[in-house]
Amino acid sequence: MAFSWSRVAPLCLVVLALAVAIVGQNYAPSPAHALVSAAAPPPLTPALGVCVLAGVWLLWRGTGSKAGGGQRTFGGLLRHYAAVKAVRWLGERQRRKLEADARNVTQVQEETLLKRLRKNANTCYGKQYDFRSMNGSGGFRAHHPVTTYEHYRELIGRVAAGEDKVLIAEEPSLLAVTSGTSGPSAVLLSTEDTNRDFFLQGVAVCLDAMHEAFPATNSLQRTTKFFYTPALRRSESGIPIGTNSSTPSSSRHVLHLYTTPAPALEVPGEKEALYLHLLFALKDPSVGTLESNFASTIFYAFIALQNHWQELVDDIEQGKVSSALALDPRLRARLEALMKPDPQRAAQLRAHFQNGFRGIAKQLWPQLNLVLAVDSGSNQIYGEMLRESYCRGVPFYSPFYAATEGLIGVNLWPQESSRRYVLCPRSMFCEFLPETSLEDASPHTLLMEEVVEGQNYELVITNASGLYRYRIGDIVKVVGFHHKCPIVEFQYRRGQMLNVRGEKVSELLFLGALKKAVGQWPPAQLVDYCCAESGIMGDSIGGSDPHYQVFLELKGVRNLTEEQRYKLDICLQQDSAVYKSFRIKGSIGPMRVQLVAEGAFRELQTQMMASSNTSPNTFKMHRVLHRREDAHFLLGKTIS
């Protein structure tokens, strides 16, 4: 039976009142207690009882209308309530700090830089560049070059081998593997400072913005969070190697806030873990939030739900865990101990699923308040598909702009449809390389107070983890200022551009053209896509002018006419004058558009993660493929 404050709390009050009265009249300390307190004043038991009574009454007021359903214990509710209150207090405090910093970005950025330089002045790297002599950003920028990953590869290798104080003063907490969207995965250092900044300046501030914009999230409803336990390796010196993201291990102190029980989070396989996330989410009709690092993870969770709902409902009806899951027998026993037959909930779920999947999230969880996941950049199409289909009618909040390098910005405007992020001036020292200067040998950078609204820049960062004046490859547009701090929109990754003749078609530009073309292919709906330059395809496509090979997964159609396929080429020509000029001259051939089988991109994701040691928690689909094996994989999945 579900725990209900409205039924239990009044009874608790009566019982506590009686207990206070009885204990106050009949208190008799034990002999041991009497020895300890012989010289102390009489115990204030009645007063203590009154305090407890008042505390329970306040908790009842605070939780009576907020407690979620499902099997909730009294202790679990109290811990949830305490966590919500603590996060609200911390979030408000950190938000005030951000507001103050945003009014004084020049000084705050100088302080942030000097803090990094002084802390690491005695490292090999700090001595090489004489960090100790640097008194501000002017000297730093004059004496330290703008860098890329190759500048650090050998140095990070020395850290991995166990050498101390190479780039940073402390030992890294993790060798963090990047997602590899701009090329091969890189390994960067991650420190406790990086994680602390992310939590205080990112998580706490965004939760404050979320609670302010969506008051219903300030409740005791549980969250379904789709995240996975990554497989960690260790370097030769024993430093963990993995992805720098939210994991069950890093969230161990707040697991009681989630619908998925702790034993299910020990499951190593993504397929089995996803099934268990869905199973325990479906058991709880009062889920308040769906959360993941990226919208793609939630989108593919709904794809799995659509494919396996009958099996999931059977498990809930019978109180079991599917025998098809490859689970350790002891772990299976722990999970099945948490399952009880619930034919009533199963009947509700079955009826909802049989009515179709459009807007299914609100049918399954009527009190669902929010989808919390990054849906900008390469995740934009997943957010759009979720809003149009599975999560119709549910608000979305894209909270962070972050990378393996650390926290970059936070979204203070959750209810706006555009994804804007104010930069966090105490997280990193930021410089801005104008888009017109990206190919310069010795590029000149601008500071936060020097950027111009409406212009595009590549971010150059100095962080807490040993990267100095580092080009992260992200191109952002300055769309305004919060007080004096730049607000940016992500545009594209430098390594994710199509460029067979110097035309430089960005991900943002191509996606805009693709969405226009798909709109002319009714009833087609875009599920996923990526491109490859013809040069990486080899002899598999025959000889021809350089062109784009485009792979599409669509719902609603299984074939396109040649005229329909050519629409995509026309749409891109309309949006890119440079591409159009190359097409008219014949320097670039027409696109080749391939439709791939359902699930092909999900299979590609599995293959790409295996080859790059990337976790499902951080994987982002590569919109431009750089590996011939990946392009040939999709070529083999072509159906039209």
Side-chain angles (χ1 to χ4, degrees), residues 74-292:
F74 180 79
L77 280 172
L78 288 182
R79 283 187 295 156
H80 196 148
Y81 179 79
V84 168
K85 290 298 181 184
V87 167
R88 284 307 307 270
W89 174 83
L90 182 61
E92 291 169 1
R93 180 173 174 266
Q94 291 299 130
R95 175 68 179 268
R96 288 193 297 270
K97 284 187 175 182
L98 176 60
E99 295 293 333
D101 288 345
R103 291 183 173 93
N104 193 19
V105 293
T106 301
Q107 180 180 332
V108 170
Q109 280 279 275
E110 289 290 318
E111 291 173 357
T112 301
L113 174 63
L114 290 176
K115 178 182 176 182
R116 309 291 187 231
L117 297 181
R118 287 167 182 164
K119 183 172 183 178
N120 297 316
N122 288 326
T123 63
C124 296
Y125 194 86
K127 292 174 182 177
Q128 178 184 349
Y129 286 96
D130 197 15
F131 284 175
R132 190 175 296 281
S133 70
M134 295 179 182
N135 296 314
S137 61
F140 174 63
R141 294 163 72 204
H143 292 95
H144 194 290
V146 173
T147 61
T148 62
Y149 184 68
E150 285 307 313
H151 182 80
Y152 301 95
R153 186 185 297 276
E154 183 266 336
L155 296 167
I156 292 173
R158 287 164 56 187
V159 176
E163 187 176 342
D164 292 333
K165 296 186 178 181
V166 178
L167 281 164
I168 54 177
E170 74 268 47
E171 182 177 324
S173 57
L174 181 74
L175 297 174
V177 181
T178 68
S179 59
T181 49
S182 297
S185 292
V187 176
L188 302 175
L189 308 183
S190 182
T191 66
E192 293 301 331
D193 282 353
T194 308
N195 297 332
R196 183 169 51 252
D197 288 346
F198 190 92
F199 178 75
L200 293 176
Q201 300 180 45
V203 174
V205 171
C206 287
L207 288 178
D208 178 69
M210 180 185 79
H211 290 144
E212 185 177 322
F214 309 106
T217 60
N218 187 27
S219 73
L220 300 190
Q221 292 170 265
R222 285 187 292 194
T223 293
T224 292
K225 182 166 184 177
F226 296 98
F227 60 164
Y228 303 93
T229 298
L232 287 177
R233 298 173 291 134
R234 291 192 176 271
S235 73
E236 53 198 286
S237 64
I239 303 171
I241 304 172
T243 52
N244 191 16
S245 68
S246 175
T247 65
S249 175
S250 66
S251 307
R252 60 190 178 278
H253 299 303
V254 293
L255 294 181
H256 60 281
L257 306 182
Y258 304 133
T259 53
T260 308
L265 298 171
E266 299 174 17
V267 175
E270 183 191 356
K271 176 183 174 184
E272 289 78 12
L274 175 55
Y275 186 96
L276 294 170
H277 279 309
L278 292 170
L279 178 64
F280 286 96
L282 292 174
K283 279 169 55 65
D284 186 348
S286 67
V287 169
T289 302
L290 300 180
E291 179 185 352
S292 190

